[in-house]
Amino acid sequence: MNRLAVDLPGLKLKNPIMPASGCFGFGQRYAEFYDLDQLGAIIVKAATLEPRTGNPTPRVAETTSGMLNAIGLQNPGIEAIMTEKLPWLQQRYPALPVIANVAGSAEADYVAVCRQIGTAPNVKAIELNISCPNVAHGGLEFGTEPEAAYNLTKACKAVSQVPLYVKLSPNVTDIKVIARAVEAAGADGFTLINTLVGMQIDLKTRKPLLGNRTGGLSGPAIKSIAVRLINQVHHVSKLPIIGMGGVMNAADALELMMAGASAIAVGTANFSNPQACPDIIDALPAAMDQYQIKDLPSLIDEMAVDPA
Amino acid sequence: MNRLAVDLPGLKLKNPIMPASGCFGFGQRYAEFYDLDQLGAIIVKAATLEPRTGNPTPRVAETTSGMLNAIGLQNPGIEAIMTEKLPWLQQRYPALPVIANVAGSAEADYVAVCRQIGTAPNVKAIELNISCPNVAHGGLEFGTEPEAAYNLTKACKAVSQVPLYVKLSPNVTDIKVIARAVEAAGADGFTLINTLVGMQIDLKTRKPLLGNRTGGLSGPAIKSIAVRLINQVHHVSKLPIIGMGGVMNAADALELMMAGASAIAVGTANFSNPQACPDIIDALPAAMDQYQIKDLPSLIDEMAVDPA
Amino acid sequence: MKRGDFSMLQEKMVVVQQRQLTADVFELTLQGKMATVKATAGQFVDVKIPDPNLLLRRPFGITQVDPQTKQLRLVYRVVGQGTAELSQVTPGTHLDTIGPLGHGFPTDFLQAGQRALIIGGGTGIPPLYALSQQLVAQGIEVTHAIGFGKQEQIFYEQEFRALGDVHYATDDGSYGFHGHIGLLLDAADFAKTDFAAVYACGPRGLLMAVNNRYRGHPHAYISLESRMACGVGECYACVVPAQGQQKMYKVCDDGPVFATGEVEV
Amino acid sequence: MKRGDFSMLQEKMVVVQQRQLTADVFELTLQGKMATVKATAGQFVDVKIPDPNLLLRRPFGITQVDPQTKQLRLVYRVVGQGTAELSQVTPGTHLDTIGPLGHGFPTDFLQAGQRALIIGGGTGIPPLYALSQQLVAQGIEVTHAIGFGKQEQIFYEQEFRALGDVHYATDDGSYGFHGHIGLLLDAADFAKTDFAAVYACGPRGLLMAVNNRYRGHPHAYISLESRMACGVGECYACVVPAQGQQKMYKVCDDGPVFATGEVEV
Ligand SMILES: Cc1cc2nc3c(=O)[nH]c(=O)nc-3n(C[C@H](O)[C@H](O)[C@H](O)COP(=O)(O)OP(=O)(O)OC[C@H]3O[C@@H](n4cnc5c(N)ncnc54)[C@H](O)[C@@H]3O)c2cc1C
Ligand SMILES: Cc1cc2nc3c(=O)[nH]c(=O)nc-3n(C[C@H](O)[C@H](O)[C@H](O)COP(=O)(O)OP(=O)(O)OC[C@H]3O[C@@H](n4cnc5c(N)ncnc54)[C@H](O)[C@@H]3O)c2cc1C
Ligand SMILES: Cc1cc2nc3c(=O)[nH]c(=O)nc-3n(C[C@H](O)[C@H](O)[C@H](O)COP(=O)(O)O)c2cc1C
Ligand SMILES: Cc1cc2nc3c(=O)[nH]c(=O)nc-3n(C[C@H](O)[C@H](O)[C@H](O)COP(=O)(O)O)c2cc1C
Ligand code: FES
Ligand code: FES
């Protein structure tokens, strides 16, 4: 029996570890470091209806044990993604489940992308990005207003051929009301957390360093916030959670699972260590032994009965 | 001329550096490390009407480049503070401006404490704590609802003999609406940020490590969030800001000032280095030279004209 | 700048020796002014681990001080990231240390020739070694009851034997009495002696047992551990409830040593 | 686990030498397999600074490689925390390095005997040294125009002189031509020569000048810097707008070398 296997709506995962959206592109370059078939799944970069060129540079800044990014959803658009990016993965890694991250400025954009992207044979689930803090329109608006989140989720769910996971923002007063709204609208699961809005000032110019002024904070700095929010959502909903936020190693992955996540996405760690995902996968069994965890399904069941 | 001197409502500061509330008690022990008269001011531990014993232990946990605390406002109560703690400071450091942090469970408690505490001769300003994430009642409720924040601020302002600074929470969807409500209610300034709600799980027990389950995240991990929020408040209000969140050194202090703060409180850094405040004060002139800052009032003026 | 002559020291002490005592216990010898100020056995120092990720200091009981050589010794077990990194520190490194902190074991009331019992377990032992040395220097006859999980975890055996009687208990029976220290005290003759003072430090179970057993004793003391932030008495992180009172004591400042019956262990 | 034979390397390279060249410029020699794989001058490596607080790697142009000794050399200026910490690293340390990354300077089109102009400034120079060596090995006659703030900042002078003509410009006139490198090119005779290729790396002002001056040149190249996260082409952090097109190039992957006129500098 495979101790690491985890089953989620649409996703039969041989292990719970997957790169987080935007931190791994569509995997092509990382495939030059290791065999992507080692991954549980892959969450690919945000897809929007039209191609996007993103925000002005600089787009990243380093913070203490974290980083800020304001990429602004640069991506080649749904057409190129359907004809080039997803087929590339399909051809080389036909068994690798893909989770497609979908973003947009208006409901119609989101719906159009959801309708199409689920038809790709390797796309097993959609991650609805209602929490991007780095774009002027769409993104965070949908993620901070329960009604907007409800409507968008409902509209996207209606056209999606695959299970729909909604990616929640940490930049809210009460994540529980958003989670409940999204669940009521028919979502199949949650992913969280997206980044927290931060800013860095360049002391030499006395101006914000990032071209977009603000950016999203990620990395170990935010892990305790991710643990709290995952746990809060876990308390109010039975839907499965793909947890993320500051996971650097196997112990971090287990901590997010004990908070209520059923699988784990790894973002910023890829930049420190391009082989972060396979390294974490390799280290999981020993870490599970250390904490007397027989297998992940039993850990998930245990946490479901008695949420941390 | 003193390059470091800063003038704020009620506070003539010889330098902008002061310990943050709860991270320095009433200074008695730190006075065994150095002469507290070096400080610009001192923000003392929260005062509530009745004595409080606080939350169950453990009350602190360490995170990557940060820490969680869930002290739960333990304090000896307003009476002991008026008769013992504040007089101790008054006697030894008559020239040291004290900012009194006031907390409570209900409006009446806050009002009662504000009415009294401003009569202490060394209390030059009140910091209204509407953002403590670690108590079941009061605290955060007042800090996340604009109407509640307005009402509480107005009631406290009416009875306070000294200028009233309101301490804002980062755990909100939009800090601007809270800041505007607080300003409309007559506050004299803001202090921010309080801590972000986080959680740590003990992998051995699979339960939250803190006795209170969640705690407030502070330290360098949150600095970029503090910079962003200070800047947002600076954009919507002309009231002065005492900035805090992750300040470890003179460059951090200048960064928060460039974001819009007029003075700086130092919290978690005291635990790493009990002499953090005097060290930062000592290092400020050289850091100002490095970034061509003549004096702090001119930096504050420059940032007021053209907010970062 | 007025700095300097203040009663609490913050000092970059120099590592002069790092010695491994067991699989996971290390002895660290530091040199500096702190070793020359008056400290009571049971007081502790709070050490900044040289890793910028770790903001909080680590508290360790003082095991030994020699004002002549200006050396101060700590003995610690590797239990997490901070102690793991500390065990990698090599001679010559400077460690930012504050102390001596807290209130140690009271011994002034003892007269030369009286008898004292020291009860310790695991990494509760380091401050007890300082205490035993201090007591012996005062002319007290010291009996030690020391518990460990198993024989190979034992350290400082010769050091303690040089100071007085030592009775060992091991959970697995691999050395001395078979069972935990509470059972040793129940079973052993020496525990029936009328000790003028009893001192204990060790895991929570041991402290609870001692706290109950010697509740009525006029001079029985236990030393506690608690998660700390400031380490100096200003943040209320490390508190422990007073026994039967609506009141909290600070382990770092009111403690770490308390009389039996004084706090809820 | 299938690892191993992949085209991008991640390797803990060993520091064999750290040498200070000027007040703030250091030369770091690393040893490992990465020095044996085919790299083009202008490619770079991305180094993990051994500090857990610093999550992002630091990109540095490859200055020199010797497959025989398996040595790879970087030259870097201390500008911030990462490079400051890098300058403290001592021989024997392992540095987690990925590379070789990006696309270097095209040189295949050149014939032995042709002439090339290399224009560099400050810490843009390191990859140009690799380039010049490569060109000389191809039989190209290389002229160098190199700018610095002032004389004491100059490094690698002997190294460059050994490869061809070198013209220096200093902003303060303390060495060579007085003024910035654009003015040197305007004033100097050598710049009127018809070079078969022109290569530049250095501060933004220099790159803008070269980008304008040699826009029509069929083989003029500039190497850019940009803040990176992944360093490998998957995060869109490091982009630069294509000249006159609604399109972005990735500096880490499409670059760092671009033809003049290709991107908005
Ligand atoms: C007054 C006092 C004296 C002590 N004396 C000794 C001694 O002489 N020898 C010895 O080996 N140990 C001693 N300890 C325990 C020692 O402080 C911890 O083992 C150490 O802090 C663990 O650090 P870590 O980073 O390895 O563990 P982690 O678990 O990674 O530490 C995480 C956080 O929890 C804190 N923490 C973890 N365990 C403890 C604990 N038991 N007590 C207090 N804080 C803890 C750490 O300080 C840190 O802030 C003492 C504790 C106290 C309070
Ligand atoms: C392709 C490429 C090749 C380079 N080659 C060299 C070289 O050979 N020698 C050399 O001295 N420098 C080179 N640089 C610049 C070098 O990467 C930076 O000086 C270095 O990253 C600064 O790190 P720091 O921590 O000291 O500075 P900090 O300012 O503290 O760094 C903060 C963050 O900004 C990034 N950053 C800061 N300056 C730059 C910059 N100029 N370019 C890209 N990122 C930056 C850092 O990588 C880090 O993520 C190169 C940059 C690129 C993109
Ligand atoms: C450079 C970068 C780009 C990102 N792009 C996206 C994106 O396109 N869509 C999305 O939903 N999240 C995006 N994220 C957020 C991550 O998927 C993840 O939620 C967040 O970084 C927290 O995880 P981490 O701490 O492991 O990085 C991005 C994060 C980073 C750092
Ligand atoms: C242990 C601890 C106790 C605190 N107690 C209080 C408090 O009583 N009242 C208050 O307003 N803020 C309290 N805070 C918040 C700090 O004043 C400060 O807003 C926060 O820690 C961010 O600053 P820092 O990153 O410099 O620590 C406390 C913080 C810590 C770490
Ligand atoms: S640790 Fe701060 S009061 Fe004890
Ligand atoms: S740094 Fe990630 S694409 Fe260039």
Side-chain angles (χ1 to χ4, degrees):
Chain A
M1 213 217 87
N2 174 1
R3 299 169 71 189
L4 302 185
V6 164
D7 263 23
L8 298 180
L11 301 164
K12 271 192 151 341
L13 308 177
K14 63 178 169 306
N15 69 62
I17 304 298
M18 59 191 85
S21 181
C23 303
F24 208 76
F26 290 81
Q28 280 146 302
R29 289 296 175 204
Y30 286 98
E32 296 178 29
F33 284 105
Y34 64 90
D35 180 358
L36 302 189
D37 263 331
Q38 294 177 71
L39 298 170
I42 171 174
I43 312 185
V44 293
K45 176 70 191 171
T48 56
L49 193 55
E50 72 298 353
R52 291 216 188 167
T53 52
N55 285 328
T57 57
R59 291 179 174 183
V60 289
E62 196 174 49
T63 68
T64 308
S65 296
M67 64 173 283
L68 296 171
N69 90 80
I71 306 295
L73 299 181
Q74 177 173 351
N75 79 94
I78 181 69
E79 204 184 303
I81 290 170
M82 292 299 287
T83 58
E84 292 163 33
K85 299 292 187 181
L86 291 171
W88 185 91
L89 280 166
Q90 169 68 26
Q91 202 185 332
R92 274 166 198 77
Y93 306 99
L96 177 65
V98 174
I99 301 174
N101 183 280
V102 173
S105 313
E107 186 176 302
D109 306 350
Y110 275 100
V111 167
V113 176
C114 283
R115 194 193 307 274
Q116 279 184 69
I117 210 155
T119 64
N122 49 348
V123 170
K124 303 299 181 203
I126 288 173
E127 177 181 53
L128 201 65
N129 181 356
I130 60 165
S131 45
C132 179
N134 298 321
V135 287
H137 293 290
L140 210 41
E141 284 156 37
F142 293 108
T144 54
E145 250 298 311
E147 209 181 299
Y150 176 90
N151 291 335
L152 184 68
T153 304
K154 200 167 174 101
C156 291
K157 176 64 191 169
V159 299
S160 296
Q161 281 94 342
V162 293
L164 186 72
Y165 291 73
V166 178
K167 185 160 185 176
L168 302 183
S169 170
N171 301 292
V172 293
T173 307
D174 187 356
I175 202 168
K176 300 190 298 297
V177 302
I178 311 286
R180 284 201 205 93
V182 162
E183 178 169 17
D188 299 287
F190 301 107
T191 69
L192 63 150
I193 58 176
N194 211 320
T195 53
L196 284 127
V197 184
M199 182 188 265
Q200 186 167 113
I201 291 180
D202 182 341
L203 296 187
K204 292 191 208 84
T205 62
R206 302 179 196 175
K207 302 264 176 254
L209 188 136
L210 293 176
N212 188 49
R213 300 179 54 88
T214 59
L217 181 64
S218 61
I222 66 166
K223 190 186 71 174
S224 68
I225 298 171
V227 168
R228 186 259 302 187
L229 291 168
I230 289 167
N231 195 245
Q232 280 191 314
V233 172
H234 185 54
H235 272 271
V236 299
S237 169
K238 295 254 171 291
L239 295 186
I241 295 169
I242 301 176
M244 65 197 82
V247 172
M248 299 296 280
N249 54 44
D252 294 337
L254 292 177
E255 186 178 359
L256 265 61
M257 293 188 77
M258 290 177 187
S262 296
I264 298 297
V266 175
T268 305
N270 293 290
F271 306 146
S272 288
N273 171 15
Q275 307 200 54
C277 289
D279 283 353
I280 293 171
I281 295 164
D282 288 359
L284 266 176
M288 287 162 64
D289 290 345
Q290 187 181 347
Y291 299 109
Q292 273 103 44
I293 299 164
K294 190 166 60 82
D295 53 46
L296 294 180
S298 62
L299 176 67
I300 294 165
D301 288 348
E302 178 191 329
M303 302 325 294
V305 173
D306 179 18
Chain B
M1 215 214 86
N2 175 1
R3 298 169 70 189
L4 302 186
V6 164
D7 262 24
L8 298 180
L11 301 163
K12 270 195 152 340
L13 308 177
K14 63 177 170 304
N15 68 63
I17 304 299
M18 59 191 85
S21 181
C23 302
F24 207 77
F26 290 81
Q28 279 145 304
R29 289 296 175 206
Y30 286 98
E32 296 178 29
F33 284 105
Y34 63 90
D35 179 357
L36 302 189
D37 263 330
Q38 292 176 73
L39 299 169
I42 172 173
I43 311 185
V44 293
K45 176 71 189 169
T48 56
L49 193 54
E50 72 299 356
R52 291 216 188 167
T53 53
N55 286 326
T57 57
R59 292 181 174 183
V60 290
E62 194 175 50
T63 68
T64 309
S65 296
M67 65 172 284
L68 296 171
N69 90 80
I71 306 295
L73 299 182
Q74 177 173 350
N75 79 93
I78 180 70
E79 202 182 306
I81 289 171
M82 293 298 288
T83 58
E84 292 163 34
K85 299 293 187 178
L86 291 172
W88 186 91
L89 279 167
Q90 168 68 26
Q91 202 185 333
R92 275 166 197 75
Y93 306 98
L96 177 64
V98 174
I99 302 174
N101 185 279
V102 172
S105 312
E107 187 176 301
D109 305 349
Y110 275 99
V111 167
V113 177
C114 283
R115 193 192 307 272
Q116 279 186 70
I117 210 156
T119 63
N122 48 347
V123 170
K124 302 300 181 201
I126 289 173
E127 178 182 53
L128 199 66
N129 182 357
I130 61 166
S131 46
C132 180
N134 299 322
V135 288
H137 292 290
L140 210 43
E141 284 156 38
F142 293 108
T144 55
E145 252 298 312
E147 209 181 297
Y150 176 91
N151 291 336
L152 184 68
T153 304
K154 200 165 174 99
C156 291
K157 176 65 191 169
V159 300
S160 297
Q161 281 93 340
V162 293
L164 186 72
Y165 292 73
V166 177
K167 186 160 184 177
L168 302 182
S169 170
N171 301 292
V172 293
T173 307
D174 187 354
I175 201 168
K176 299 190 298 297
V177 302
I178 311 287
R180 282 201 207 93
V182 162
E183 179 169 15
D188 299 288
F190 301 107
T191 68
L192 65 152
I193 58 177
N194 211 318
T195 54
L196 283 127
V197 184
M199 181 188 266
Q200 187 168 115
I201 292 181
D202 182 341
L203 296 186
K204 293 190 208 84
T205 62
R206 302 181 197 174
K207 302 266 176 254
L209 187 135
L210 294 176
N212 188 48
R213 299 179 56 87
T214 59
L217 180 64
S218 61
I222 67 165
K223 190 185 71 174
S224 68
I225 298 172
V227 168
R228 186 258 302 185
L229 291 169
I230 289 167
N231 195 243
Q232 280 190 312
V233 171
H234 184 54
H235 272 271
V236 299
S237 169
K238 295 254 171 291
L239 294 186
I241 296 169
I242 300 175
M244 65 198 80
V247 172
M248 300 296 281
N249 55 43
D252 294 337
L254 292 177
E255 186 179 359
L256 266 62
M257 293 189 77
M258 289 179 188
S262 295
I264 298 297
V266 175
T268 305
N270 293 291
F271 306 147
S272 288
N273 172 14
Q275 307 200 53
C277 289
D279 283 352
I280 293 172
I281 295 164
D282 288 358
L284 265 175
M288 287 163 64
D289 290 344
Q290 188 183 347
Y291 298 109
Q292 273 105 43
I293 298 164
K294 191 166 60 82
D295 54 47
L296 295 179
S298 62
L299 176 66
I300 293 166
D301 287 348
E302 178 192 328
M303 301 325 293
V305 175
D306 178 19
Chain C
M1 292 280 93
K2 287 192 263 167
R3 303 255 187 123
D5 267 354
F6 289 87
S7 57
M8 272 203 218
L9 283 183
Q10 176 176 11
E11 189 186 10
K12 294 212 188 311
M13 298 189 81
V14 186
V15 174
V16 295
Q17 196 187 44
Q18 169 96 262
R19 197 161 69 96
Q20 185 160 9
L21 303 181
T22 72
D24 56 3
V25 173
F26 292 77
E27 180 200 70
L28 186 70
T29 309
L30 302 173
Q31 195 170 47
K33 195 175 156 196
M34 192 135 4
T36 66
V37 302
K38 209 192 135 25
T40 316
Q43 284 193 287
F44 65 98
V45 293
D46 215 2
V47 178
K48 178 76 182 74
I49 307 293
D51 175 340
N53 269 342
L54 304 181
L55 298 179
L56 299 180
R57 290 168 178 267
R58 284 1 187 210
F60 300 105
I62 298 170
T63 304
Q64 214 178 333
V65 246
D66 183 350
Q68 245 68 53
T69 59
K70 291 186 163 189
Q71 293 189 354
L72 182 153
R73 208 161 254 179
L74 311 176
V75 173
Y76 63 95
R77 179 139 59 125
V78 171
V79 299
Q81 193 184 345
T83 46
E85 293 184 17
L86 190 60
S87 73
Q88 300 303 313
V89 159
T90 49
T93 310
H94 286 76
L95 285 182
D96 181 345
T97 307
I98 62 175
L101 302 174
H103 290 87
F105 295 104
T107 62
D108 285 351
F109 59 88
L110 287 170
Q111 316 286 333
Q114 286 188 302
R115 302 188 61 178
L117 174 61
I118 285 182
I119 306 167
T123 43
I125 288 170
L128 296 176
Y129 181 59
L131 174 66
S132 187
Q133 288 182 296
Q134 188 176 309
L135 291 173
V136 169
Q138 275 182 247
I140 310 301
E141 194 182 313
V142 186
T143 302
H144 309 83
I146 299 183
F148 276 100
K150 48 190 172 183
Q151 182 169 16
E152 59 263 45
Q153 295 171 345
I154 295 175
F155 57 88
Y156 269 34
E157 178 172 357
Q158 295 322 313
E159 285 82 348
F160 277 105
R161 291 209 186 275
L163 295 169
D165 250 18
V166 189
H167 305 264
Y168 279 102
T170 52
D171 296 341
D172 70 350
S174 51
Y175 192 66
F177 180 83
H178 186 163
H180 67 71
I181 199 103
L183 299 175
L184 168 65
L185 296 179
D186 289 340
D189 271 352
F190 72 83
K192 296 178 182 95
T193 313
D194 209 14
F195 291 101
V198 178
Y199 302 99
C201 187
R204 185 143 178 267
L206 180 148
L207 296 181
M208 284 168 70
V210 172
N211 195 41
N212 291 332
R213 189 181 186 98
Y214 295 102
R215 180 146 310 188
H217 195 291
H219 290 295
Y221 302 96
I222 55 176
S223 179
L224 303 191
E225 291 185 2
S226 180
R227 295 210 172 214
M228 297 182 174
C230 72
V232 299
E234 293 291 15
C235 77
Y236 299 106
C238 63
V239 298
V240 55
Q243 180 72 47
Q245 271 180 281
Q246 260 291 88
K247 185 182 155 175
M248 292 287 184
Y249 285 113
K250 295 171 197 159
V251 171
C252 68
D253 191 20
D254 301 316
V257 173
F258 295 94
T260 50
E262 201 177 6
V263 295
E264 280 178 26
V265 183
Chain D
M1 292 280 91
K2 287 191 264 168
R3 302 256 187 123
D5 266 353
F6 289 86
S7 56
M8 270 203 219
L9 285 183
Q10 177 176 11
E11 190 186 8
K12 294 213 189 309
M13 300 189 79
V14 187
V15 174
V16 295
Q17 196 186 45
Q18 170 95 263
R19 197 161 70 95
Q20 186 161 6
L21 303 182
T22 72
D24 57 2
V25 173
F26 292 77
E27 180 198 70
L28 185 71
T29 309
L30 302 173
Q31 194 170 47
K33 198 175 152 193
M34 193 139 355
T36 65
V37 304
K38 211 194 130 26
T40 316
Q43 283 190 289
F44 66 98
V45 294
D46 216 2
V47 178
K48 179 77 180 73
I49 306 294
D51 175 340
N53 269 341
L54 303 181
L55 299 177
L56 299 179
R57 289 168 177 268
R58 294 332 192 232
F60 300 105
I62 299 171
T63 304
Q64 214 177 333
V65 245
D66 182 351
Q68 246 67 51
T69 59
K70 293 186 160 188
Q71 294 189 352
L72 182 153
R73 207 160 254 179
L74 310 176
V75 172
Y76 64 94
R77 179 139 58 125
V78 172
V79 299
Q81 194 184 347
T83 46
E85 292 185 17
L86 190 60
S87 72
Q88 300 302 314
V89 159
T90 48
T93 310
H94 286 76
L95 285 183
D96 180 343
T97 307
I98 62 175
L101 302 174
H103 290 86
F105 295 104
T107 61
D108 286 350
F109 59 88
L110 287 171
Q111 316 287 333
Q114 284 187 304
R115 304 189 59 180
L117 175 62
I118 285 181
I119 306 167
T123 45
I125 287 169
L128 297 175
Y129 181 61
L131 174 66
S132 187
Q133 288 182 296
Q134 188 175 308
L135 291 173
V136 169
Q138 274 180 250
I140 309 302
E141 193 182 313
V142 186
T143 302
H144 309 82
I146 299 182
F148 275 100
K150 47 188 173 184
Q151 181 169 18
E152 58 263 43
Q153 294 171 344
I154 295 175
F155 58 88
Y156 269 34
E157 176 171 0
Q158 296 321 314
E159 284 82 347
F160 276 106
R161 292 209 185 274
L163 295 168
D165 251 19
V166 189
H167 303 263
Y168 279 103
T170 51
D171 296 341
D172 70 349
S174 52
Y175 193 65
F177 179 85
H178 186 161
H180 68 71
I181 198 104
L183 298 175
L184 168 65
L185 295 178
D186 289 341
D189 271 354
F190 72 83
K192 297 179 179 93
T193 315
D194 210 10
F195 291 101
V198 177
Y199 303 99
C201 188
R204 185 144 178 265
L206 181 150
L207 296 181
M208 284 170 70
V210 172
N211 194 40
N212 290 331
R213 188 181 187 97
Y214 296 102
R215 179 145 311 188
H217 194 291
H219 290 295
Y221 303 96
I222 54 176
S223 180
L224 303 191
E225 290 185 2
S226 179
R227 294 210 172 214
M228 298 181 173
C230 72
V232 299
E234 293 291 14
C235 77
Y236 299 107
C238 63
V239 297
V240 55
Q243 179 71 48
Q245 271 180 281
Q246 261 293 86
K247 187 183 152 172
M248 291 288 184
Y249 284 113
K250 294 171 197 158
V251 170
C252 70
D253 193 19
D254 302 315
V257 173
F258 294 94
T260 50
E262 201 176 5
V263 295
E264 279 177 26
V265 182

